[in-house]
Amino acid sequence: MDLLAALRAHRLLAIVRGSDPAAALTTVLTLAEEGVTLIEVSLSGRDALDVIARARAALGPDAPLGAGTVLGPDDARAAQRAGASFLVTPAVSDGITTGRELGLPVLAGVMTPTDVLQAHRLGADALKLFPAGSAGGPRYLRDLRGPFPDLPFVPVGGVDATAAADHLREGAVAVGVGSPLIGDAAAGGDLSALRERARAFLHVVRAQARP
């Protein structure tokens, strides 16, 4: 898949990290029903590979479905076997290189200018600015885009609806959202609230002009 094109088109990456595998799967499918196209299942969640495999079977072969918290080559290969179509790393690691070898696009975790340059040189398709909130939010993104104006950033971490809009206005190609969107749904919580939050985030990202 063309991950960068998908990020530019949809602008919202939902991050599902579940303590209850059945609830995590239901969360993924509910998000898809609400029109959230890009979904990442974090490998730090319980039985995450099985969740990815079951989600792939339910969503079909063409749905963009990512594996997150990919720490290295073993994670990358396991994620591909489970059916992931893209990888997300929390940092610059050899997971990027392995993803490229496997033919999977990679959203690579970065924080510093050095990280940005390294991840770009390793072939990352886009750059996950993490943790965006702790780093300084939209202002830090603006500062990073000074020396790297043409690189695609996806802020993740502490991104609520307001921060999502602010980051997109500062030039982010998309935002990644975990708990402010998922809430307790992946632990068996309220799906109606999840649906409301999904609609709210989709409204926010669709309202921002594309870069």
Side-chain angles (χ1 to χ4, degrees), residues 45-92:
R46 184 179 169 195
D47 294 337
L49 291 170
D50 184 59
V51 173
I52 292 171
R54 293 169 67 191
R56 172 57 67 208
L59 295 173
D62 298 325
L65 180 62
T69 323
V70 172
L71 301 180
D74 289 345
D75 285 344
R77 296 186 186 102
Q80 184 191 47
R81 288 194 297 270
S85 54
F86 65 93
L87 307 178
V88 184
T89 73
V92 179

Side-chain angles (χ1 to χ4, degrees), residues 101-196:
E101 291 170 353
L102 295 171
L104 295 178
V106 180
L107 173 59
V110 299
M111 168 62 80
T112 67
T114 300
D115 293 341
V116 170
L117 193 57
Q118 289 178 337
H120 179 60
R121 286 176 173 172
L122 287 173
D125 295 80
L127 305 169
K128 169 185 168 180
L129 180 57
F130 175 79
S134 301
R139 180 176 178 178
Y140 185 62
L141 172 62
R142 182 169 66 247
D143 290 344
L144 266 186
R145 292 191 71 237
F148 306 110
D150 299 322
L151 295 186
F153 288 97
V154 181
V156 177
V159 178
D160 60 14
T162 299
D166 291 342
H167 278 107
L168 291 169
R169 280 192 290 267
E170 289 294 344
V173 296
V175 291
V177 186
S179 57
L181 169 58
I182 306 305
D184 63 355
D190 187 358
L191 290 179
S192 62
L194 172 66
R195 291 183 184 276
E196 291 177 4

Side-chain angles (χ1 to χ4, degrees), residues 12 14 16 21-39 41 51 54-55 58-59 65 181-200 202 206:
L12 175 64
V16 178
L25 175 62
T26 300
T27 297
V28 171
L29 301 182
T30 300
L31 289 167
E33 289 172 3
E34 290 299 326
V36 178
T37 301
L38 292 171
I39 303 172
V41 177
V51 173
R54 293 169 67 191
L59 295 173
L65 180 62
L181 169 58
I182 306 305
D184 63 355
D190 187 358
L191 290 179
S192 62
L194 172 66
R195 291 183 184 276
E196 291 177 4
R197 290 189 298 270
R199 293 166 191 165
L202 286 170
R206 288 168 178 167

